[in-house]
Amino acid sequence: MVAVHRNWSPFVVSAPGKVILFGEHAVVYGMAAIAGSLDMRAYALVTPRTDTKVRMVLPDISVDVLFDIHTLPQLSSTDLSHPSEVEALVPSSISIPEGPGRTAVLTFVYLYGCIFAESDRNTGFTLCVRSLLPVGAGLGSSAAFNVALSATLLQLTGQLQEEGVSASDKKLINQWAFHGEQVAHGTPSGIDNSVATYGGFLKYVKGEPSVSLESTHALRVLITNTNVPKSTKALVAGVRALRDRYPAVVDGILDSIHSISTTAASLFQSTSEAEETLEQQMQDIIRINHGLLSTLGVSHASLERVREVTAVRNLASKITGAGGGGCALTLIPNGMASGDVDVVARELEAEGFHCYQTVVGGGGVAIARSVDGKVAVEQWLADTIERHGRPSAGGDGDVYGSAVAGFATLPAAAIAVLKPE
């Protein structure tokens, strides 16, 4: 293992969000689900310090915490029966904030404690994470954070052989990100962190390793956040209660959803079908999948409104995730002009929704030391901050304090240029 050294330059780690395409609710009963990576990512700027402090800045949820590396506990994955119990081992000298940042801080303490050996703790660093994913919308913002965090810590301790590119690097990142998800969610499925690590499209069956579909077919989609709160636990319980009353009927619906997932997997892996034919088949199974989920009682008036607005233009939409509110997914034909998509998005936003035009099926976790392979991250940061007139601020030991302050307030469009090719 290579210890952290003082002589390194700033770098950026990014990881994508995820969207469940097919298989919601059926996956609970051991059937297949298909998920894909979103072209919306979390970006972690990592900068060296000259002191023994570690600072984590999460501007999107108003978190800015400073640790002394000697007060962060040294942990082993065997110290706890479950990672979610980490708070019991946090020393009183570390203040854990209340609110949305609480889980992020506990996750950081756990992963740093496990990944950083005593010999690695010879200098500090600052980690500033900007997420272009809406929090709490079921689009994998937590997993994107955990993958970016895990990759950062593994990179700093020299445990990645090819800066996250190799299969062994990705496997290690995914393992630790899953532990981070355990801190946050208790018993996660593992699909979110797998998508954020590997990217592309994955087929997932509970209790089995995720399978990459190795697809070359990216999808244009419109993600609509209805802003309606949902309870995944209550929705899953509702389907279970319905199944208890009508087992043969509900099992038939779940079997049909499973068949849709397997059909989608075949379509993604197809190399013979024309793109137009694949698009039409995808529209068909999206409509059918939504109808089946509605039959299970997990739709909502807001989700039906998305379906109605988009159906006027012959677009196929469906629930993505547990339903009951949350988000809907609309497939955008490759031939549809962006201006026409904007019109649909404005109509949906007039209903009080938030829309995101994006692509599904892009790359996974990435570590970048330059932008477009040309300009070093440090230089790009200085130029971008100056162009946007961002604030300057520093501090003892934090030689990049002004850069971090600028990065924390950059507009999303400026950060998105860091997206890997």
Side-chain angles (χ1 to χ4, degrees), residues 4-9 48-52 122-124:
V4 180
H5 295 290
R6 295 177 186 273
N7 298 323
W8 54 276
S9 299
R49 298 175 64 96
T50 58
D51 56 15
T52 58
N122 51 33
T123 190

Side-chain angles (χ1 to χ4, degrees), residues 204-278:
Y204 172 79
V205 175
K206 188 176 181 180
E208 299 179 11
S210 299
V211 177
S212 173
L213 298 179
E214 303 294 341
S215 175
T216 59
H217 304 288
L219 298 180
R220 287 178 70 196
V221 299
L222 183 69
I223 302 292
T224 302
N225 185 357
T226 65
N227 298 311
V228 174
K230 60 183 175 59
S231 168
T232 298
K233 183 177 180 180
L235 290 158
V236 169
V239 173
R240 188 175 297 279
L242 188 66
R243 183 173 181 261
D244 288 343
R245 294 197 300 273
Y246 309 103
V249 174
V250 173
D251 281 347
I253 296 170
L254 296 174
D255 286 341
S256 295
I257 293 174
H258 173 74
S259 295
I260 287 171
S261 295
T262 57
T263 298
S266 297
L267 289 174
F268 284 127
Q269 294 175 305
S270 172
T271 58
S272 59
E273 293 282 4
E275 202 68 39
E276 186 176 338
T277 302
L278 285 170

Side-chain angles (χ1 to χ4, degrees), residues 95-109:
S95 176
I96 305 297
E98 296 297 331
R102 183 177 185 80
T103 298
V105 173
L106 286 172
T107 301
F108 177 85
V109 171

Side-chain angles (χ1 to χ4, degrees), residues 387-408:
R387 187 162 59 250
H388 287 274
R390 297 294 120 173
S392 295
D396 294 340
D398 194 358
V399 293
Y400 288 96
S402 60
V404 171
F407 183 76

Side-chain angles (χ1 to χ4, degrees), residues 335-383:
M336 188 172 186
S338 294
D340 292 336
V341 182
D342 290 338
V343 171
V344 177
R346 284 196 294 270
E347 289 182 12
L348 291 168
E349 288 173 347
E351 301 280 343
F353 307 148
H354 285 119
C355 295
Y356 307 89
Q357 292 187 50
T358 186
V359 175
V360 182
V365 63
I367 298 174
R369 298 188 181 275
S370 63
V371 180
D372 294 330
K374 300 173 183 177
V375 181
V377 164
E378 184 171 2
Q379 186 60 54
W380 170 86
L381 195 57
D383 294 344

Side-chain angles (χ1 to χ4, degrees), residues 18-230:
K18 74 91 179 58
V19 64
I20 301 295
L21 297 168
F22 304 101
E24 294 93 340
H25 290 282
V27 73
V28 175
Y29 299 92
M31 300 179 192
I34 307 296
S37 59
L38 286 171
D39 196 26
M40 300 158 65
R41 304 173 73 90
Y43 296 86
L45 172 67
V46 190
T47 58
R49 298 175 64 96
T50 58
D51 56 15
T52 58
K53 306 291 186 183
V54 174
R55 181 184 177 203
M56 183 172 71
V57 186
L58 310 176
D60 303 300
I61 54 174
S62 303
V63 169
D64 190 342
V65 291
L66 189 67
F67 306 99
D68 189 292
I69 59 177
H70 301 300
T71 63
L72 285 163
Q74 184 77 55
L75 301 174
S76 166
S77 57
T78 59
D79 288 341
L80 299 166
S81 60
H82 193 278
S84 62
E85 300 170 359
V86 64
E87 189 169 2
L89 298 182
V90 176
S92 58
S93 57
I94 295 179
S95 176
I96 305 297
E98 296 297 331
R102 183 177 185 80
T103 298
V105 173
L106 286 172
T107 301
F108 177 85
V109 171
Y110 177 80
L111 291 176
Y112 182 95
C114 289
I115 294 173
F116 268 67
E118 190 62 37
S119 60
D120 296 320
R121 303 184 183 203
N122 51 33
T123 190
F125 62 91
T126 296
L127 173 75
C128 181
V129 183
R130 295 291 307 278
S131 181
L132 305 191
L133 292 155
V135 176
L139 299 180
S141 61
S142 169
F145 168 76
N146 278 311
V147 168
L149 174 59
S150 298
T152 294
L153 300 179
L154 291 166
Q155 176 68 18
L156 289 173
T157 52
Q159 297 183 55
L160 300 181
Q161 303 304 310
E162 297 181 49
E163 298 203 331
V165 173
S166 69
S168 59
D169 280 358
K170 290 186 185 298
K171 181 178 180 181
L172 189 60
I173 292 168
N174 195 40
Q175 287 173 343
W176 282 111
F178 178 71
H179 289 315
E181 286 287 273
Q182 287 180 304
V183 175
H185 303 297
T187 55
S189 68
I191 191 170
D192 286 22
N193 51 277
S194 294
V195 171
T197 301
Y198 293 99
F201 298 96
L202 295 181
K203 179 181 178 182
Y204 172 79
V205 175
K206 188 176 181 180
E208 299 179 11
S210 299
V211 177
S212 173
L213 298 179
E214 303 294 341
S215 175
T216 59
H217 304 288
L219 298 180
R220 287 178 70 196
V221 299
L222 183 69
I223 302 292
T224 302
N225 185 357
T226 65
N227 298 311
V228 174
K230 60 183 175 59

